[in-house]
Amino acid sequence: MILKVANMTTGIFGSLYPAPIAERENYWWLGRSGFNWITTIYPLFYDFADTPAVYLMVRRNWDGTRSPIYIGQTDSLRRRMMEHTKDKLARAYRLGANELHVHLLAETENQRLLVENDLRNRHPTPINEQPSAVLGGLFGLYRASEQKRLLGQVGTFR
């Protein structure tokens, strides 16, 4: 007699037991600078390590395209996602977000801010609060010059 083991990742059990992920999928996001930033794709709700990262709350559309809902950076992904459960994570979910894309190669705060700004300047996001033009004027000029300086170092964290 041969016993068949039920596949617990399909059928009615699929929602209870998500399919095991053998290898994480990657996605490359194009920044305004023309650089592509690699991200690793995770479920929107995931228990992350306490690590620095740039992250995107993303809606994967029915046709396979992806739309960023929110872009941020942090020195502690675990802490930041816990903080976001009260506001941005819930808003992103209501707007259709179903993935979290994580860029782990930018280690310093300046590097993370460079990647975050490069992505935010390319992709409109409904949740990011953009600084006003008045406040962003001089600070924006400084950021742009700093971004150009850091882009020279970009090969190390892209």
Side-chain angles (χ1 to χ4, degrees):
M1 179 171 158
I2 298 174
L3 293 176
K4 255 186 160 175
V5 178
N7 181 351
M8 299 300 274
T9 62
T10 60
I12 62 169
F13 297 107
S15 60
L16 301 175
Y17 299 96
I21 299 173
E23 187 176 311
R24 290 271 173 219
E25 186 180 351
N26 294 318
Y27 189 82
W28 292 85
W29 287 93
L30 180 63
R32 182 169 187 210
S33 66
F35 286 109
N36 283 298
W37 306 100
I38 190 169
T39 59
T40 305
I41 301 173
Y42 292 90
L44 186 61
F45 299 98
Y46 189 81
D47 185 20
F48 289 98
D50 190 26
T51 185
V54 177
Y55 58 93
L56 299 88
M57 296 176 192
V58 175
R59 177 181 58 237
R60 183 184 289 210
N61 302 308
W62 64 270
D63 61 357
T65 60
R66 291 172 169 97
S67 305
I69 305 295
Y70 180 82
I71 301 171
Q73 68 85 26
T74 182
D75 61 344
S76 171
L77 191 56
R78 173 177 285 186
R79 176 188 49 77
R80 195 67 181 129
M81 289 302 107
M82 292 301 291
E83 292 169 356
H84 280 326
T85 57
K86 299 174 187 147
D87 57 1
K88 291 182 174 65
L89 202 55
R91 284 178 61 196
Y93 181 73
R94 285 193 300 273
L95 290 171
N98 48 18
E99 296 178 340
L100 194 78
H101 293 210
V102 180
H103 177 76
L104 297 167
L105 301 178
E107 296 174 354
T108 68
E109 183 178 21
N110 280 341
Q111 290 173 345
R112 291 190 308 271
L113 287 169
L114 171 74
V115 175
E116 176 192 17
N117 287 325
D118 192 30
L119 293 171
R120 283 181 62 186
N121 288 328
R122 171 80 181 204
H123 304 279
T125 55
I127 296 180
N128 285 98
E129 285 81 23
Q130 303 296 330
S132 73
V134 173
L135 293 176
L138 291 176
F139 183 68
L141 288 175
Y142 168 75
R143 270 196 343 212
S145 66
E146 184 67 7
Q147 189 168 8
K148 283 183 182 180
R149 185 184 69 76
L150 287 172
L151 279 173
Q153 306 166 7
V154 82
T156 59
F157 61 94
R158 197 168 82 145

